[in-house]
Amino acid sequence: MDASPGSSGRQPVRNRILFALAAIGVLAGLTSAALFAVRSRPLSPVFAPAANPYEHGVHANGIVESLQESGENINVYPEVGGTVTEILVHEGSRVARGAPLVRLDDSVQRATAEQQQAQAEAALAMLEELRAQPRPENLEVALAQVASSRASLKSADDDRAKQQKAYDTMPDSVSKMVLDQAINATELARANLAVAQRNYELVKAGAWSYDIRNQEAQYNALTKGAAAARALLAKYTIGAPVDGVILSITATVGSYVSSQGTLESYSASAAPVLVMGTGDDYGAVRCYVDEILIAKLSNVEGLEATMYVRGTDFQIPLEFVRVQPLVSPKIELSNQRTERVDLRVLPIIFRFKKPANIPIYPGQLVDVYMRAP
């Protein structure tokens, strides 16, 4: 059966379209290959990477700290817990030793201290009262009671003498019972006089020595309790332990702090309320030397080292200070003691004079090269 004239006319058109698409594909492939074959030139670095300045040098990561005779930066914790009511400094403040930094709510402890002070003052007043005895008014009363008892005895004895004389003269004029009552009244008056005299001597002698010693002990105990309460009250104001600079403040007004510090907002872990540095003309850098490189530093005394500030071409000579002679797990330098890895490092501390033309802050990471023998 013969093909129709229309179908034979469409066949060349279809072939031309296929050849055109194939040509376009080949052209696209060649163009892509040419574009991907062109290598872009890398951008030049903003600053030259730190290079080892020594023929045999050991590299270590370092972190800048304030210069301390021992230890690291000064972490300030309160000795008591409470809510922050006032912050008297800000980051960067220079403070003298003992200057108040943070105040905590001390309303309860202040009332307790005032109560114990009042108790101590009451005990002192009682002690002074005992020491001041005899009171002149009490002595006068006791002396008047002696005089009254002596007068009563004389009156009773005069009446007895009259009754006795009448009985001896005319026995029938005075009954035996009346005479006996007069005699008894005289003896009673004599006993009352003896009691009055003893009472006068007791008042005149003043307070008993045992009572005074007991009151002295109570006063001393209450005084020490009041002093302890005042000392505890003073701890609700956090003072600067040394002369220095405030590096950071974690708490704010309304935060609760304790002897464990306060909750750091971003890491959700305990952090010191304040961190202080010495703020003098010198800084320190703590280097963490890999344990496999420790053997190359056979003599660390007088170790020569150079510090490179990251992000700059600046290098600073370092002066050896001390070695922390404890190889410990490396810490990811984020102040998180729980972030540990298998690598162990030896901390070596250097100091450097702070340059005037570049800012360097505690906590900044640096590269350190040490000369190996």
Side-chain angles (χ1 to χ4, degrees):
M1 183 175 180
D2 295 336
S4 61
S7 60
S8 61
R10 288 192 296 268
Q11 187 68 31
V13 175
R14 185 182 300 111
N15 291 338
R16 285 195 297 269
I17 293 174
L18 292 177
F19 281 117
L21 292 175
I24 293 173
V26 172
L27 182 60
L30 293 175
T31 303
S32 299
L35 292 176
F36 283 108
V38 176
R39 295 183 180 181
S40 59
R41 297 179 60 184
L43 297 176
S44 58
V46 178
F47 59 91
N52 194 340
Y54 308 112
E55 182 179 357
H56 301 286
V58 173
H59 173 266
N61 293 322
I63 183 169
V64 178
E65 300 175 350
S66 61
L67 183 61
Q68 304 288 342
E69 294 182 0
S70 60
E72 304 179 7
N73 296 325
I74 304 170
N75 297 326
V76 181
Y77 291 86
E79 297 185 47
V80 296
T83 303
V84 177
T85 58
E86 189 177 5
I87 297 179
L88 306 172
V89 293
H90 55 80
E91 287 89 351
S93 297
R94 287 185 174 272
V95 295
R97 180 176 182 178
L101 306 177
V102 176
R103 287 196 175 97
L104 308 180
D105 182 14
D106 60 357
S107 56
V108 175
Q109 183 58 34
R110 184 174 297 279
T112 301
E114 291 174 354
Q115 177 189 7
Q116 295 191 359
Q117 180 62 33
Q119 291 176 344
E121 292 174 357
L124 176 60
M126 179 61 69
L127 178 60
E128 291 176 346
E129 177 183 342
L130 293 175
R131 289 173 175 172
Q133 291 184 13
R135 183 176 175 180
E137 295 84 352
N138 293 339
L139 194 61
E140 291 177 0
V141 171
L143 187 60
Q145 289 175 347
V146 171
S148 176
S149 297
R150 185 175 289 111
S152 297
L153 174 60
K154 184 177 183 306
S155 176
D157 190 55
D158 289 345
D159 183 65
R160 180 201 58 78
K162 293 176 182 179
Q163 297 293 341
Q164 184 67 46
K165 184 177 181 180
Y167 181 79
D168 292 341
T169 304
M170 298 178 62
D172 295 338
S173 62
V174 178
S175 65
K176 181 63 175 174
M177 183 179 66
V178 173
L179 180 60
D180 290 340
Q181 288 178 346
I183 294 173
N184 291 337
T186 301
E187 295 301 324
L188 179 60
R190 183 174 287 110
N192 289 337
L193 176 60
V195 171
Q197 289 176 338
R198 292 292 180 88
N199 183 63
Y200 171 75
E201 293 173 357
L202 179 62
V203 173
K204 185 179 179 180
W208 199 18
S209 60
Y210 293 99
D211 290 338
I212 294 177
R213 287 205 296 268
N214 179 55
Q215 190 62 31
E216 286 177 343
Q218 292 187 23
Y219 168 66
N220 290 334
L222 291 172
T223 300
K224 292 179 180 178
R230 289 193 302 272
L232 184 59
L233 178 63
K235 296 183 182 300
Y236 282 81
T237 298
I238 304 174
V242 295
D243 297 342
V245 176
I246 304 298
L247 301 181
S248 70
I249 303 174
T250 307
T252 186
V253 174
S255 301
Y256 179 82
V257 299
S258 68
S259 57
Q260 302 298 318
T262 185
L263 186 65
E264 207 277 326
S265 300
Y266 300 105
S267 64
S269 60
V273 177
L274 301 101
V275 178
M276 288 187 60
T278 53
D280 52 17
D281 295 334
Y282 283 85
V285 57
R286 184 179 298 267
C287 305
Y288 295 93
V289 180
D290 193 311
E291 59 183 342
I292 63 176
L293 300 176
I294 296 177
K296 294 185 177 182
L297 303 175
S298 57
N299 182 20
V300 296
E301 296 294 336
L303 185 62
E304 182 180 349
T306 302
M307 179 179 75
Y308 290 85
V309 181
R310 294 182 179 181
T312 70
D313 297 325
F314 205 80
Q315 60 184 29
I316 302 174
L318 298 177
E319 178 183 347
F320 174 79
V321 176
R322 65 182 183 276
V323 173
Q324 180 180 314
L326 177 64
V327 177
S328 56
K330 181 181 179 181
I331 300 170
E332 298 294 338
L333 300 177
S334 60
N335 289 332
Q336 299 302 312
R337 294 286 178 180
T338 57
E339 297 181 6
R340 295 185 175 182
V341 293
D342 293 336
L343 178 66
R344 302 182 75 86
V345 293
L346 175 70
I348 301 179
I349 296 88
F350 296 90
R351 77 169 189 167
F352 62 93
K353 186 173 180 59
K354 294 181 180 179
N357 56 342
I358 182 171
I360 298 179
Y361 299 98
Q364 191 170 346
L365 299 181
V366 294
D367 295 302
V368 176
Y369 284 95
M370 292 162 279
R371 183 191 294 274

